Structure formats: C-alpha cells, structure tokens
Amino acid sequence: KKFLNNRNLFLNFLKNEYEKNQISKLKCIVISTKHTRYNFNYYKKLYIQTLIEIKKKYSYSSDQILFFPHPRDESYYIEDLKINLSNYSNIKSISSTVAENYLHDNNIEIVIGTYSTALYYSKIIFDKEHVYYIKNYENLGKNNELNNNIVGIFDSLDIKNFLIKNEF
C-alpha cells in the first residue's frame, strides 16, 4: 500500500528533458560502458564493429545512430571516442542528459549497449522491441556466475547478444 508508482512521473520528466535536447531522425542508441586504461582500446574496437554491423544490418546513416559515452568516463576517453566513432554515428557530448532521456521516443527502434540498467529500462519501462547487449568477450567466462546470471536475466527479457561472433 505504501509503494509509490512513479513510472508516469519519470516518463514525463524524461520526455520534457528530451524535447529540450532533441536530435531529429534518431533510430538507434548505442550505450557504452565505463572505461579504464586497460580496456579502452578493446571497447573502442568493439563499438566500431557494433556500429559497422548496425549500419550493415539496418541501413542506418550515421545521423540516425547516437552513441552515448558513459557519463562518468574521463574526458580524454570521450574525446578519443568522438575522433574514432564520428564516421559511424553521432556522439553525445558530455552533459547531464542520459540515454534514458531518449528512450521514450517512438522513433528509436533499436537500443544496444553493454550490460546496464538502461537496457533493462528500454525493455521494461519503454517497451522497446529491439534491445540488445554487447557481450564483453574479454571479461565474461562461462565460470563467472554473476555475469551468467545477468545474461540469464537479459535472455529472459528477450534482450539478446547483438554481436554473435567474437571477431576480436
């Protein structure tokens, strides 16, 4: 009885913020993970492969794809991503706007990212049909129980792996 269902309040807030920051014609959002100096180059290659595959599978232009760097990434990682990913997508600048601000938009057809609550929200709150995770081949092993549980949860929600083959 004391549970507050604030879903509509949350959706209205995001819609209002989105309208202030709207980028037209978006079809796809790609959400990155927090980087370290040890994994940055690996993820940069993974994002490029993902963006190439998106463009190939869906014939989207770079203007229709928005890449979201992790909001807590250091600015030099974000600048490097801007340089290396700008031919494949728009890159969200550093701001307080998060991926969830764009998820209510009905034009967004596909949401792809590393394991995150944003993917969960895409499916559960925003009812996006095409939500995919990018499997971290570098750190996920079959013996890693926590990550296997995350994969199980995502699979149960019909959030599947976008890149099936490990090409790295």
Side-chain angles (χ1 to χ4, degrees), residues 102-158:
Y102 292 86
L103 294 176
H104 75 85
D105 186 340
N106 290 332
N107 291 328
I108 302 296
E109 298 172 347
I110 300 169
V111 180
I112 301 171
T114 55
Y115 299 118
S116 69
T117 55
L119 294 183
Y120 180 81
Y121 296 158
S122 298
K123 198 68 166 175
I124 299 302
I125 295 176
F126 299 100
D127 300 319
K128 297 296 179 190
E129 183 177 347
H130 303 286
V131 181
Y132 302 95
Y133 62 85
I134 305 171
K135 192 170 195 173
N136 175 355
Y137 293 102
E138 185 176 65
N139 295 323
L140 290 182
K142 292 189 178 191
N143 297 328
N144 189 326
E145 186 176 338
L146 174 62
N147 286 323
N148 285 335
N149 287 340
I150 292 169
V151 171
I153 292 168
F154 276 34
D155 285 345
S156 73
L157 297 171
D158 199 31

Side-chain angles (χ1 to χ4, degrees), residues 7-83:
R7 179 179 178 174
N8 289 333
L9 181 67
F10 181 60
L11 291 173
N12 287 333
F13 167 76
L14 292 177
K15 181 178 179 184
N16 291 335
E17 287 300 308
Y18 173 77
E19 289 170 357
K20 291 180 195 174
N21 301 298
Q22 186 173 10
I23 297 175
S24 61
K25 301 181 183 178
L26 286 180
K27 297 286 186 186
C28 177
I29 295 175
V30 178
I31 305 166
S32 74
T33 190
K34 177 88 171 89
H35 300 105
T36 68
R37 64 184 171 135
Y38 302 108
N39 68 12
F40 179 73
N41 286 325
Y42 169 80
Y43 275 106
K44 182 169 54 175
K45 290 177 188 175
L46 186 63
Y47 300 143
I48 290 170
Q49 179 62 36
T50 300
L51 292 167
I52 289 170
E53 194 64 25
I54 291 167
K55 293 177 89 169
K56 188 185 326 177
K57 281 184 180 179
Y58 300 101
S59 300
Y60 290 160
S61 69
S62 297
D63 290 338
Q64 294 176 303
I65 304 168
L66 181 61
F67 181 87
F68 263 91
H70 195 279
R72 291 186 307 274
D73 253 342
E74 288 81 5
S75 59
Y76 53 88
Y77 290 134
I78 294 173
E79 289 306 314
D80 191 308
L81 289 172
K82 283 182 181 180
I83 291 167

